[in-house]
Amino acid sequence: MRLTRAGEYGIRCVQHLARHGKGTLVSRKEIAVRTDVPPHFLAKIAQQLARAGIIEIQQGANGGYRLLRDPSGITLLAVIEAIIGEISLNDCVGRPESCHNSPLCTVHLIWNKANQQLRATLQEADFATLAKEESCCLTPFPETAGHKEPIGKK
Amino acid sequence: MRLTRAGEYGIRCVQHLARHGKGTLVSRKEIAVRTDVPPHFLAKIAQQLARAGIIEIQQGANGGYRLLRDPSGITLLAVIEAIIGEISLNDCVGRPESCHNSPLCTVHLIWNKANQQLRATLQEADFATLAKEESCCLTPFPETAGHKEPIGKK
DNA sequence: ATATATAAGATATTTTTAGTCTTATATCGA
DNA sequence: TCGATATAAGACTAAAAATATCTTATATAT
Ligand code: SF4
Ligand code: SF4
């Protein structure tokens, strides 16, 4: 019941790009360092974002990534689902046929409602708004950003 | 971003008990067969429900499980969180200290909001209401319930 | 006492997540 | 044109979590 790291990383990537604005080329390395994401992992995530039409990848020397759309036209939901697929809080939400009971199931209805509500909330959040204030993943002192401490251990 | 099977099974178990009403003893085997849950797995889940004060386990011959509270006083949220712990859609929701950026992060605020909304929705659903109509996991013909077909394979 | 049913926790299997590595390709600039 | 740099694509590995089972112990009804 939790977003994967890949999803979280995808959001960080887009948010960093959003701060530079639509069309600005930013190197993978800069994004990786500033958002604390393993560079090779970021490459994979970027490919998914590119396939979803959110970013464009420029190869070669001085390559990098750029936003294809205006930040105001990119929602949190779009980015997340580009990475992890359509959100489905319970198996039967996305695939009702996975449970023979779903046509009669009152719990199923609750899950459908909750799922739709969650997706709506994430759809309301666009990256123009999100980037307005200083936010996600701006490491205060880039030169000292060791980014090797594990992000979260209990 | 999905409920675990253990969580789903826990709901089925409580719902089955709810149909029998508070205090009625139902054997683990009956619950397992009728809700299509592996018996040993159910045992584990039941222990978690017992620790959470939702059911009581009766040992020994003719033992089984019974609801401790009235179905109307048991919410979907309570059952789910008894099994999988408190819902946290992103790591930083439950443990803000896991990301040094959380105090400034606008995305973090969205997750907090979405999380609270989801929990509220699941809290509104109580098992008296859920059990009113025929619902979750009532196999139409118990005697033919082979329950060995895998519940969901793509 | 014996049969029955669950307790509790160890163990095993499978799936998913997370991350890395390798080889190929594209682009820039000397 | 060539070499350095940067990403592409996908194979591969490692770690973690989910799912399920097994084993031994304990409780209870008869
Ligand atoms: S029993 Fe209901 S809630 Fe559970 S998987 Fe089936 S349809 Fe979904
Ligand atoms: S960057 Fe923001 S949303 Fe992402 S983990 Fe940190 S606080 Fe949460």
Side-chain angles (χ1 to χ4, degrees):
Chain A
M1 207 83 163
R2 199 170 284 197
L3 184 69
T4 61
R5 292 236 182 174
E8 163 69 22
Y9 292 164
I11 295 167
R12 293 188 193 181
C13 174
V14 171
Q15 187 163 46
H16 188 78
L17 287 169
R19 278 207 300 272
H20 287 270
K22 169 181 171 182
T24 306
L25 187 72
V26 185
S27 74
R28 184 184 66 174
K29 186 174 179 184
E30 176 185 327
I31 300 170
V33 170
R34 297 292 293 274
T35 63
D36 199 12
V37 174
H40 281 67
F41 202 2
L42 179 56
K44 207 166 214 172
I45 291 161
Q47 286 161 34
Q48 294 181 271
L49 292 173
R51 269 182 234 121
I54 295 168
I55 69 170
E56 186 181 58
I57 297 171
Q58 177 160 333
Q59 284 196 46
N62 305 328
Y65 309 139
R66 59 163 57 91
L67 278 193
L68 278 178
R69 311 183 218 155
D70 199 78
S72 64
I74 305 175
T75 69
L76 212 45
L77 183 70
V79 173
I80 291 167
E81 296 199 332
I83 308 292
I84 66 167
E86 181 162 328
I87 287 174
S88 172
L89 290 173
N90 197 359
D91 204 40
C92 61
V93 174
R95 304 187 301 119
E97 74 278 10
S98 72
C99 178
H100 69 286
N101 192 52
S102 57
L104 310 158
C105 184
T106 50
V107 180
H108 181 66
L109 298 177
I110 305 285
W111 282 120
N112 279 347
K113 176 184 166 190
N115 205 73
Q116 175 241 308
Q117 203 174 52
L118 171 60
R119 295 184 76 242
T121 298
L122 296 177
Q123 191 155 35
E124 281 161 21
D126 71 88
F127 279 87
T129 308
L130 289 173
K132 234 169 225 163
E133 23 256 288
E134 291 75 43
S135 177
C136 207
C137 320
L138 223 180
T139 43
F141 303 105
E143 62 280 9
T144 65
H147 85 292
K148 261 303 81 170
E149 80 284 0
I151 254 198
K153 283 285 150 193
K154 187 196 288 178
Chain B
M1 207 85 162
R2 198 170 284 199
L3 183 69
T4 62
R5 292 236 183 176
E8 164 69 21
Y9 291 165
I11 295 166
R12 293 188 193 181
C13 173
V14 172
Q15 188 163 44
H16 189 77
L17 287 169
R19 277 207 301 272
H20 286 270
K22 167 180 171 184
T24 306
L25 187 73
V26 185
S27 75
R28 183 183 67 173
K29 187 174 178 184
E30 175 185 327
I31 300 171
V33 170
R34 298 291 294 273
T35 62
D36 200 11
V37 173
H40 280 66
F41 202 0
L42 179 56
K44 206 163 216 176
I45 291 162
Q47 285 160 35
Q48 294 181 270
L49 292 173
R51 267 180 235 123
I54 294 168
I55 68 170
E56 186 181 58
I57 297 172
Q58 176 160 333
Q59 285 197 46
N62 305 327
Y65 309 139
R66 61 164 55 94
L67 279 192
L68 277 178
R69 311 184 219 155
D70 199 78
S72 63
I74 305 175
T75 69
L76 214 43
L77 184 71
V79 173
I80 291 167
E81 296 199 331
I83 308 292
I84 66 168
E86 182 161 327
I87 287 175
S88 171
L89 290 173
N90 198 358
D91 204 39
C92 60
V93 174
R95 303 188 301 118
E97 73 279 10
S98 72
C99 178
H100 68 286
N101 192 53
S102 57
L104 308 158
C105 184
T106 50
V107 181
H108 181 67
L109 298 177
I110 305 285
W111 282 120
N112 279 346
K113 175 183 165 190
N115 205 74
Q116 176 240 309
Q117 204 173 52
L118 171 60
R119 294 185 76 243
T121 298
L122 296 178
Q123 191 155 35
E124 281 160 21
D126 71 89
F127 279 87
T129 309
L130 289 173
K132 233 170 224 162
E133 24 254 288
E134 291 74 43
S135 178
C136 209
C137 319
L138 223 181
T139 44
F141 303 105
E143 63 279 10
T144 65
H147 86 293
K148 261 304 80 169
E149 81 283 1
I151 252 198
K153 281 287 149 191
K154 188 195 288 176

